């Protein structure tokens, strides 16, 4: 299969009519894939998905206990929803992770550190709200970069029914083994709607 075939296949009905699985014999173009991804922006998906029952708690558990980057996790959920997975570890992902480490993580740490004090001091509460907005803006920038990576840079792998075990692929990616972490992944997979 050519790289163009690998990244641009349209959905093919999978088990029980599930359209998130892709056909290996597609003749669709990369432009079709870009169009589908652009029609379902990662930011919009992340806001909707994060608000579903159990998703926020699952994401925060994976972040706090296993060091999983929630933005990258949401990106992988979004790709899976489209029947895609990142092809290996794209080089461009390193710059996005560096952004997270240098910008988002320090903002999150500062916001969390100010939580107790902000409950008793209005000035600190106001500063904390501003930091929270900056953290959210940094996360949005991360998601925009990840979407751009999927649309323009990263050749994605088409998921087949045999290779679509989302929970196992994420557990392997982040070397997750604890029961609570695996249950969190199950929660995420259960809340994903196929397109």
């Amino acid at each position: 299969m050519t790289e163009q075939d690998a990244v641009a296949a349209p959905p093919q009905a999978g088990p029980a009519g599930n359209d998130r699985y892709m056909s290996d014999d597609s003749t669709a173009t990369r432009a079709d894939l870009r169009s589908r991804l652009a029609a379902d922006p990662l930011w919009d998906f992340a806001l909707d998905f994060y608000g579903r029952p159990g998703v926020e708690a699952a994401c925060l558990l994976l972040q706090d206990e296993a060091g999983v980057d929630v933005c990258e996790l949401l990106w992988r959920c979004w790709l899976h929803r489209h029947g895609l997975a990142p092809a290996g570890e794209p080089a461009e992902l390193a710059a996005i992770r560096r952004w997270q480490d240098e910008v988002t993580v320090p903002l999150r740490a500062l916001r969390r550190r100010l939580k107790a004090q902000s409950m008793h001091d209005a000035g600190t509460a106001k500063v904390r709200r501003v930091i929270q907005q900056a953290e959210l803006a940094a996360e949005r920038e991360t998601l925009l970069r990840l979407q751009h990576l999927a649309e323009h840079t990263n050749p994605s792998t088409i998921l087949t029914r045999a290779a679509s075990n989302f929970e196992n692929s994420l557990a392997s990616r982040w070397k997750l083994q604890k029961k609570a972490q695996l249950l969190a992944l199950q929660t995420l997979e259960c809340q994903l709607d196929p397109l």
Side-chain angles (χ1 to χ4, degrees):
M1 172 182 348
T2 68
E3 179 181 310
Q4 185 173 356
D5 289 337
V7 297
Q12 171 181 309
N18 187 336
D19 288 340
R20 67 181 161 171
Y21 299 98
M22 301 293 216
S23 166
D24 287 337
D25 59 353
S26 171
T27 58
T29 65
R30 179 130 174 105
D32 293 334
L33 174 63
R34 287 180 184 160
S35 176
R36 280 192 303 123
L37 295 177
D40 180 32
L42 177 54
W43 174 253
D44 294 345
F45 164 81
L47 290 176
D48 174 66
F49 187 61
Y50 200 77
R52 293 181 183 186
V55 171
E56 178 181 1
C59 288
L60 293 177
L61 181 140
L62 293 168
Q63 173 183 275
D64 294 341
E65 290 188 11
V68 171
D69 181 280
V70 172
C71 289
E72 185 176 337
L73 177 62
L74 292 171
W75 174 63
R76 290 175 185 272
C77 290
W78 177 72
L79 287 174
H80 185 78
R81 180 173 187 240
H82 286 277
L84 301 169
E89 283 291 311
E92 298 83 4
L93 202 48
I96 295 170
R97 288 176 178 151
R98 193 168 40 256
W99 166 266
Q100 284 288 82
D101 290 342
E102 294 174 359
V103 179
T104 309
V105 171
L107 288 167
R108 180 181 307 123
L110 183 55
R111 176 184 54 81
R112 285 180 169 182
R113 197 166 55 237
L114 293 175
K115 184 175 182 176
Q117 185 179 352
S118 70
M119 292 179 176
H120 307 289
D121 179 33
T124 302
K126 183 177 180 180
V127 170
R128 187 172 182 270
R129 282 191 300 275
V130 170
I131 292 167
Q132 187 173 31
Q133 290 302 312
E135 179 187 359
L136 186 62
E139 289 172 338
R140 185 173 190 163
E141 177 61 23
T142 299
L143 293 173
L144 289 171
R145 291 176 185 196
L146 288 166
Q147 180 166 347
H148 184 270
L149 177 65
E151 290 177 350
H152 302 288
T153 309
N154 180 33
S156 298
T157 301
I158 303 299
L159 294 176
T160 62
R161 284 180 288 282
S164 65
N165 191 321
F166 187 58
E167 179 188 341
N168 286 346
S169 68
L170 291 181
S172 175
R173 159 68 187 90
W174 280 294
K175 297 173 180 53
L176 305 175
Q177 297 178 347
K178 294 181 179 178
K179 185 176 181 177
Q181 296 166 354
L182 298 176
L183 288 172
L185 292 179
Q186 287 176 3
T187 297
L188 297 178
E189 187 168 25
C190 288
Q191 290 296 335
L192 271 176
D193 291 333
L195 289 176

